[in-house]
Amino acid sequence: MSVTIKEIADIAGVSRGTVDRVLNNRGNVNPETENRVKEIAQRMGYRPNRAARALATRKNPIKLGFVVPAEGNSFFDDVIKGLNKQAMKLVDYGVSIEIRTIKGFDVEKQLDIIEELINLPINGLIITPIDDEVISKKLKELSENGIPVITTNSDISNANRLCYVGSDYYKGGATAAGLMKYLIKDNGKVGIITGSLKMLGHRLRVDGFIDQIKKSKINVDIVGIKECNDDNFQSYEVAKSMLTQNPDIEALFIAAGGTEGICEAVKHLELGGKLKIICFDLIPSVKKFMKMGLVDFTISQDPEYQGWKPVELLYDYLVNEVQPQKEHYYTKTEINIAENI
C-alpha cells in the first residue's frame, strides 16, 4: 500500500499542509521540520501519485521553453528532432514546448529570448547558454522564482541549473588529441578553430585537447586558436587566412561548428589529402567530406539525446517531483572514420 501524506504528517507531528509544502518544495517551512519530513518520507518509501499528477497536468498545462543556437548550424537539426519526439509523447499530458533559435552567441539576443519566454509564461527552461555573467544571473533568477533550468549541449558556470545534458567536452578534446598523434609527425604544426570562447563547452574542448597534447609523447606546435562562431562563411575565411599565413600546418582541430566552411577553404587551397582534419559531429556535410577524404576523424555526441533527455527530466521534476539523479548526463563519445559511417 502506498504511503499517504496524512501518515507522514502523523509521524512527523505536523499538519498535512506542512508535509505538502515540503514534498512540493513550496517553502515557508522551518528547516529542521523540512529535514524531518523528508527523512520520514524517504524512510517510509513515499512516492507521488503520478497518475493523479498527470491528470492534474492536463487541467493545468505545462509550457517549457527551449533555446538553442540552431540558426546556420545543422547539428541542432537532430537536437530539435529529439526534442520533438519527446514532445509528442507528452502532448496528451498538457505539455507544450516553445522553441526559440538564435544565430551565434550574442548575449543580448539570448537574454531577450529568455525574457520573451518568461512573459508567456513558461514553467521551465531548457537552454544552450552562453557562458556569460549576465546569462548566469538571469538563470539564477529563474531558479529562485520557481522556474527550473536544465542546460543542454553546453553548460554554464554558477547558474543554479538542475543538471546538464550533453557532451563531455573536455573528454572530447582529449580524445581528439589522442587521435592527432596518429595523423602528424613529431614537431608537427596544428591549427585550432573553435566556435566561440564565450561557450563553456567550446573552451573545455580546446583545454582538453591542449592538456592531452602536453601529456603525449609527441611534440605538437599549436600555431593558433581562432573563433568562427559556428558560421560556415566565417570559418571559410578564418581557415583560409590561417592556412595561408602558416603553409606548414599539417593538421586542423575543429573544436565546434563551421566544418563545412573550413573544408571548402581546404579545397580552395588544394590541400585536400595533404592536410589532416579532426572535427566533431556526424552531420551530412561532414559525412560528405569524410567520403571525399578531407576529414580523417569526427567525434559524434548523440544530438537527439540532447533534445529529448532534458524534456524528460524537466517533466519528471515539474510533474512527478523527481529530482535528476545526476548533475551531468553525458552523451557517449564515438569516433567515426569514413569506413564506419
Side-chain angles (χ1 to χ4, degrees), residues 5 60 174:
I5 286 178
N60 300 287

Side-chain angles (χ1 to χ4, degrees), residues 294-310:
L294 289 175
V295 171
D296 296 274
F297 295 106
T298 189
I299 302 169
S300 55
Q301 50 175 322
D302 198 352
E304 285 196 31
Y305 180 83
Q306 298 180 44
W308 69 260
K309 187 61 176 181

Side-chain angles (χ1 to χ4, degrees), residues 184-290:
I184 64 172
K185 298 173 291 187
D186 199 29
N187 296 312
K189 292 189 175 183
V190 175
I192 299 175
I193 300 176
T194 191
S196 172
L197 297 176
K198 295 178 183 178
M199 301 299 289
L200 179 60
H202 296 182
R203 294 201 307 273
L204 287 172
R205 205 173 261 169
V206 172
D207 289 346
F209 181 83
I210 293 173
D211 288 350
Q212 188 60 37
I213 286 292
K214 290 177 180 177
K215 294 176 185 176
S216 68
K217 296 181 179 180
I218 63 167
N219 294 313
V220 173
D221 181 12
I222 296 173
V223 300
I225 302 171
K226 300 294 183 182
E227 299 171 273
C228 69
N229 290 305
D230 285 357
D231 181 89
N232 285 315
F233 293 103
Q234 288 187 47
S235 66
Y236 175 90
E237 296 298 335
V238 167
K240 184 178 176 183
S241 174
M242 178 181 279
L243 294 170
T244 301
Q245 293 174 23
N246 303 276
D248 51 352
I249 285 180
E250 294 181 27
L252 288 177
F253 170 48
I254 307 172
T259 300
E260 184 172 356
I262 293 166
C263 287
E264 289 296 341
V266 170
K267 284 172 57 182
H268 176 81
L269 295 172
E270 298 182 349
L271 293 174
K274 304 172 188 176
L275 186 78
K276 303 300 181 181
I277 293 177
I278 297 175
C279 67
F280 285 82
D281 308 323
L282 205 54
I283 57 176
S285 59
V286 169
K287 289 181 181 179
K288 177 183 74 174
F289 290 123
M290 291 190 84

